[in-house]
Amino acid sequence: MNNSTIEKAPAGVIARLRSWASADPHVTRLAVVLVLLLVAFAVMKPKNFGNVATWQSMAVQFPEYGLMALGVMLTMIIGGIDLSVVAIANLASIASAVMMLSLAPKGSDAGIGYLAAFLAVPLCLVIGAIAGAFNGFLVAKIRIPAILVTLGTFELFTGIAIVLTAGKPLSGLPMQYSEVFAARVAGIPVPLIIFALAVVIVAVLMNRTAFGAKLYMLGSNEKAAAFSGLKTTSLTIRTYMTSGVLASAAGLVMLANYNSAKADYGSTYTLLAVLIVVLGGVNPNGGSGKLSGVVLGIVVLQVLSSFLNTFPNISNFYRPLIWGGVLLLVIVINQWYKPGGLSRFFQKRSAS
């Protein structure tokens, strides 16, 4: 390798970084924020930062709301939203818990316990798909705004879950379920593996299939998508169905982490999922957004949450305040950089 090649290498790397940064400013900003958070974490709390248990705990926690955020992302790309993901997760996990408790009550042998755990997975995912399809049907066929539909079904699904449990947690699940879904494979928690598989599947759907391209077309202009021959009703229903399946997968993770099921678990995850998607650069009006930004948003918020946990003086009661403030701040920043947004408004004000 000659000197000219050595001199050109850093310049080439810098050029690639610049092109990557200009191509997706949301991802760039999130990457910078993540690096700053990690540096602050390492400097201020070095013991926690260097503890393997801290990172394993993160890997167990964020797949719960991370899977929900993936579903919200898909619905937001088509110009909708899914505010029922937490209710779907709880309803699906409760139905799975009821089935496992009926098949493998306390005292059952291990074989029956593993059978019950195996059957719980497809049951949970099917319930999530049905709930998501119901949302999509109301949005696409009855033409009710997505925010109203999913707010209504949030209450509906939560009400069904409360009836099934009488408002009490369902515990005493077969230990074989936790042995599988709360285990670690080569030190990697199973919930993280489930989340990684979901990310790969969503990435393939969005980037390697016609389904992903149609999502962006529908979100950009629904009328134009319909005139171009897209089956918008079917596409909308399938999108909400996919969101329901991802939410039910989150329910499986929650069921393993808590070893119980209840109608109000993860009550703050709805706001968190929406915050992650907006933070990741997905346009709330539809038509744009990248999976990489959403995944980075999930990691950023989990690192921030774990960092805050190291300060005993910061109560968990402040979390909704922090998440709500961050959500509003991100929306304001996005509007500032949007062409014809807040920056132009302030320029007009100053000129007058």
Side-chain angles (χ1 to χ4, degrees):
M1 182 180 293
N2 55 34
N3 293 333
S4 61
T5 305
I6 297 175
E7 290 174 357
K8 291 178 181 178
V13 171
I14 293 172
R16 289 175 186 172
L17 288 174
R18 284 178 177 173
S19 62
W20 176 71
S22 60
D24 198 333
H26 294 285
V27 174
T28 304
R29 287 197 291 266
L30 279 174
V32 172
V33 170
L34 178 59
V35 170
L36 293 176
L37 271 176
L38 291 174
V39 171
F41 199 171
V43 172
M44 299 177 68
K45 298 289 181 178
K47 290 184 179 180
N48 299 94
F49 185 83
N51 192 348
V52 176
T54 300
W55 300 98
Q56 288 182 332
S57 177
M58 290 187 195
V60 170
Q61 292 172 14
F62 78 77
E64 294 180 8
Y65 56 83
L67 288 164
M68 298 180 194
L70 295 179
V72 174
M73 174 195 70
L74 293 175
T75 60
M76 199 175 285
I77 284 175
I78 65 169
I81 196 169
D82 191 353
L83 301 179
S84 66
V85 285
V86 173
I88 293 175
N90 284 326
L91 177 60
S93 64
I94 286 169
S96 299
V98 170
M99 187 271 293
M100 284 192 286
L101 289 173
S102 61
L103 287 181
K106 288 184 179 180
S108 302
D109 59 46
I112 296 177
Y114 282 117
L115 176 63
F118 174 78
L119 294 176
V121 176
L123 174 65
C124 189
L125 297 179
V126 167
I127 290 175
I130 293 172
F134 181 64
N135 281 337
F137 174 80
L138 293 177
V139 172
K141 292 294 287 185
I142 311 301
R143 308 300 294 177
I144 304 173
I147 189 170
L148 298 180
V149 167
T150 53
L151 275 175
T153 55
F154 173 88
E155 296 295 336
L156 174 65
F157 299 149
T158 301
I160 296 172
I162 292 173
V163 170
L164 290 175
T165 61
K168 300 176 182 178
L170 294 179
S171 55
L173 302 178
M175 59 183 298
Q176 289 76 21
Y177 182 82
S178 295
E179 285 179 3
V180 175
F181 288 94
R184 286 180 170 83
V185 179
I188 302 174
V190 169
L192 179 60
I193 296 175
I194 294 174
F195 175 75
L197 287 174
V199 169
V200 171
I201 293 171
V202 172
V204 171
L205 286 175
M206 292 179 65
N207 302 316
R208 301 292 181 183
T209 67
F211 177 75
K214 291 175 182 177
L215 291 184
Y216 289 103
M217 290 178 63
L218 179 59
S220 299
N221 192 319
E222 183 178 359
K223 290 184 178 180
F227 283 127
S228 65
L230 290 186
K231 298 178 179 179
T232 57
T233 299
S234 173
L235 185 61
T236 300
I237 293 174
R238 282 184 288 154
T239 303
Y240 279 91
M241 185 184 298
T242 305
S243 177
V245 171
L246 290 167
S248 63
L252 289 172
V253 173
M254 293 166 65
L255 194 60
N257 289 345
Y258 306 148
N259 199 30
S260 63
K262 195 167 183 258
D264 62 352
Y265 281 163
S267 57
T268 62
Y269 286 169
T270 302
L271 172 62
L272 206 55
V274 174
L275 170 59
I276 286 167
V277 175
V278 176
L279 187 65
V282 177
N283 185 355
N285 296 318
S288 65
K290 289 189 176 181
L291 176 62
S292 56
V294 173
V295 173
L296 257 180
I298 294 168
V299 177
V300 165
L301 286 189
Q302 181 57 59
V303 172
L304 177 60
S305 179
S306 298
F307 185 35
L308 293 175
N309 284 338
T310 62
F311 295 92
N313 294 329
I314 301 179
S315 171
N316 286 332
F317 295 114
Y318 289 102
R319 296 300 173 84
L321 172 66
I322 294 171
W323 301 146
V326 172
L327 176 58
L328 289 175
L329 178 62
V330 171
I331 292 173
V332 170
I333 291 173
N334 288 344
Q335 285 296 115
W336 182 272
Y337 285 102
K338 183 180 177 181
L342 290 176
S343 58
R344 192 175 70 173
F345 170 77
F346 283 108
Q347 288 173 2
K348 287 184 178 180
R349 297 277 293 182
S350 62
S352 60

